[in-house]
Amino acid sequence: MPAFLTVGSLKLRRQKHTIVSRLILSCLLLALPFSAMALSMSDAISRAGQQRMLSQRMVKDYALVGQGKMLSAVKEMDGTIKQFDKNLQELKGFVKTKEEKKVLGKIDRLWFAYNLLVQTKPNPRQAPQVNAIADKMLGFSDQLTHLLEQRAGTSKGRLINIADRQRMLSQRIAKYYVFKAWGLDNKEYSQEYDKAVQEFTDALNTLKKAPENTSDIDGALAKVEKDWNTFKISFRLNGGRFIPSLVTRSLDKILGQMDYITALYMGIY
C-alpha cells in the first residue's frame, strides 16, 4: 500500500465510489421511460381510471376552444392528449388477461380516430361525433378499470376506482355544461348531465362511509363535499346565463381534490 493511502482514506474513497455509483444508477432509472418501469396494481387501476376522465376533459376543452373561451383550454387539451397516450402505452405493458388485452385493444383503435378529431378546428357540427367517440372511449376505459379491480381482488381496488371515477364525473358534468353554453343542448345531453350530478353525489356519500378512511381522507372528503354543495347552488343562481369559465374552474378544483383523495386511497394499503 502506498504511504499516502491510509486505511481511513481507503474507506473514504470506497464510500465516495459507492455514492457516485448510486447516483449514476438513479440517473439511469430516471432516464428510462415510465412505461419501462413496472406499474403496481394500484397504479394501473389509477391509470385506467384516469383515462375515463381524460376522454371527457378533451371534449370539454374542444367545446371551450370552439367558443373562444379560456385560452388556457388549448394548452390543457394538448397536455390531456399527451397524458392519455402516455397512460395507454403504460397499460399496454401491464394488461395480462385475454379480456384485459381485448378491451385495451378497442381503446387503442378508437384512440387513433379520436386523437385526430379533437385536434381539428372545433366546430359545433362535429362536436356530437367527437362526443360519441369520447363516450365509447369512456365505456371501454371503465370496463378495463373494473377488470383490473377484479384482478386486484381487494376493497382497495374498489375505493380507488370510486374515487377515480369522481374525477371523470367532474369533467363529464363540465363537458355537458359547456355544450349547453355552445348551444348544443338536447334531451339526451340534459339527462346525462343530471345523471352525472346524481352519480357524483351518491359516490361521494359512499366514500364518506368507507371504514378504511383515514383522518386525512375524511378531511379531504369534507372539503370536496363543501365545494360540491357550493357548485350545485351556484350553477342554478346564474339568472339563466351560462358561465362556463366559472363552472369549469369550480369543477377543476374538485377534480384536483379527487386526485389527492385517490392518491390517499392508494397509500393506505
Side-chain angles (χ1 to χ4, degrees), residues 19 25 71 118 204:
I19 292 171
L25 179 60
L71 294 177
V118 296
L204 183 57

Side-chain angles (χ1 to χ4, degrees), residues 82-128:
K82 289 178 180 177
Q83 186 63 52
F84 190 100
D85 192 64
K86 180 175 181 289
N87 287 350
L88 183 62
Q89 301 312 314
E90 291 171 359
L91 287 166
K92 285 180 181 179
F94 184 85
V95 292
K96 184 177 181 180
T97 69
K98 182 179 179 180
E99 190 62 26
E100 288 169 3
K101 291 177 181 179
K102 180 180 178 181
V103 173
L104 189 62
K106 291 178 179 179
I107 297 171
D108 195 21
R109 288 188 291 275
L110 276 171
W111 172 236
F112 179 77
Y114 186 58
N115 187 24
L116 292 176
L117 274 176
V118 296
Q119 294 190 74
T120 59
K121 184 178 180 180
N123 71 78
R125 292 185 301 277
Q126 186 171 269

Side-chain angles (χ1 to χ4, degrees), residues 30-131:
L30 288 172
L32 286 172
F34 191 81
S35 58
M37 302 173 70
L39 289 178
S40 68
M41 177 57 78
S42 296
D43 289 333
I45 292 172
S46 182
R47 295 290 191 283
Q50 189 182 45
Q51 298 295 72
R52 299 177 295 195
M53 179 275 289
L54 295 174
S55 72
Q56 302 300 291
R57 192 173 201 181
M58 279 184 276
V59 183
K60 177 203 75 175
D61 290 334
Y62 178 91
L64 283 171
V65 173
Q67 296 174 69
K69 305 287 186 182
M70 296 178 65
L71 294 177
S72 60
V74 176
K75 182 178 180 181
E76 181 179 279
M77 185 163 68
D78 182 61
T80 301
I81 289 169
K82 289 178 180 177
Q83 186 63 52
F84 190 100
D85 192 64
K86 180 175 181 289
N87 287 350
L88 183 62
Q89 301 312 314
E90 291 171 359
L91 287 166
K92 285 180 181 179
F94 184 85
V95 292
K96 184 177 181 180
T97 69
K98 182 179 179 180
E99 190 62 26
E100 288 169 3
K101 291 177 181 179
K102 180 180 178 181
V103 173
L104 189 62
K106 291 178 179 179
I107 297 171
D108 195 21
R109 288 188 291 275
L110 276 171
W111 172 236
F112 179 77
Y114 186 58
N115 187 24
L116 292 176
L117 274 176
V118 296
Q119 294 190 74
T120 59
K121 184 178 180 180
N123 71 78
R125 292 185 301 277
Q126 186 171 269
Q129 182 184 4
V130 172
N131 187 57

Side-chain angles (χ1 to χ4, degrees), residues 50 53 163-164 167 254-264:
Q50 189 182 45
M53 179 275 289
D164 233 355
R167 301 192 291 186
I254 291 173
L255 168 63
Q257 291 168 328
M258 291 312 306
D259 279 339
Y260 175 62
I261 290 169
T262 301
L264 289 178

Side-chain angles (χ1 to χ4, degrees), residues 161-217:
N161 184 13
I162 294 173
D164 233 355
R165 193 169 184 272
Q166 294 291 75
R167 301 192 291 186
M168 178 278 290
L169 288 171
S170 74
Q171 298 305 289
R172 186 168 178 82
I173 293 165
K175 176 190 75 174
Y176 282 121
Y177 184 91
V178 174
F179 268 26
K180 287 174 182 285
W182 207 11
L184 295 171
D185 194 14
N186 56 44
K187 184 178 179 180
E188 179 188 352
Y189 289 173
S190 293
Q191 289 175 342
E192 288 298 325
Y193 178 89
D194 292 340
K195 180 182 176 183
V197 169
Q198 188 59 53
E199 287 181 354
F200 189 100
T201 300
D202 293 345
L204 183 57
N205 289 332
T206 297
L207 291 175
K208 284 166 55 184
K209 296 174 184 177
E212 295 89 347
N213 288 358
T214 64
S215 59
D216 285 342
I217 291 174

